[in-house]
Amino acid sequence: HGHGHGHGHGHGHGHGPAFTPMVTAHGEFDMYTGFDSHAGKNAMKVPHTDAVQCMVICRQHGFGGFVHWKGQTYFRKQAPMALRNHLKPVPGAIIYVFRSAPVAVVTAPLAAAPAPAPAPAPAPAVVVVAPPTVAPPAPAPALAPVVVVAPAPRPAPRPAPRPAPRPVAPVVAATVATVGLVGAVLGGPGPRGHPRAGRGPFRR
């Protein structure tokens, strides 16, 4: 517990129980745990114990404080000093006593900041077009060796056999015999130059 102005001093209102200062945007309250004040004199009651919401209600209606008790909140219309002077121990109770309104924060208008200098225009992009890379021509595939198979030499034609010479003697003999025969028939000389008798039914 931060005792604000010393244990039991109660902000200069005589000796009293310890409290915890509660500073919020809705004002400053002193929280006394295990105490109540003016029990039964309720100005309003809500069925919850949301401390921030209860502070808003307390400030809106000008109440001096409120008490959380068994899940509900009871508001007190007595002045804050009267609530502090009549605090009574009540186990389980928590009373919030208003102390001061929130301090208004006055902010001086900020001097207008100078307008930022315009950003320099971006330099035009330089596009470098590289010449297309020409791949070297692929080497021509090696030619397979060509094997020329020469045709087998044709055998030289054999010379036609020359015809055997015709025998002459028998022809001559046959010729002579034929002449002799004819001569005999016709009565001419024989083959040896001698006359032959003619063949016929009569001989001379």
Side-chain angles (χ1 to χ4, degrees):
H1 298 290
H3 300 302
H5 299 281
H7 180 75
H9 290 290
H11 300 286
H13 299 288
H15 296 282
F19 60 87
T20 302
M22 303 292 293
V23 179
T24 69
H26 308 286
E28 186 174 353
F29 289 76
D30 296 335
M31 181 181 71
Y32 297 87
T33 301
F35 289 89
D36 192 1
S37 179
H38 296 276
K41 298 179 180 180
N42 304 321
M44 182 184 293
K45 181 178 72 173
V46 294
H48 62 78
T49 56
D50 188 327
V52 175
Q53 291 293 332
C54 293
M55 290 178 186
V56 173
I57 296 173
C58 185
R59 295 294 298 130
Q60 288 177 346
H61 295 273
F63 298 144
F66 55 90
V67 181
H68 290 332
W69 169 251
K70 293 184 178 181
Q72 299 189 27
T73 301
Y74 302 88
F75 292 89
R76 303 286 188 255
K77 62 181 180 180
Q78 290 77 13
M81 184 178 293
L83 294 176
R84 287 189 181 92
N85 291 336
H86 293 82
L87 291 173
K88 303 294 182 182
V90 177
I94 301 175
I95 185 170
Y96 294 79
V97 179
F98 177 70
R99 189 200 320 179
S100 63
V103 177
V105 178
V106 179
T107 57
L110 297 176
V126 178
V127 179
V128 178
V129 179
T133 304
V134 179
L143 299 177
V146 178
V147 179
V148 179
V149 180
R154 299 178 61 183
R158 294 182 179 181
R162 299 180 63 182
R166 298 175 63 183
V168 178
V171 175
V172 174
T175 303
V176 173
T178 302
V179 171
L181 181 60
V182 173
V185 174
L186 299 177
R192 296 180 180 270
H194 300 285
R196 280 184 181 181
R199 291 181 182 182
F202 303 102
R203 292 183 176 180
R204 292 179 178 179

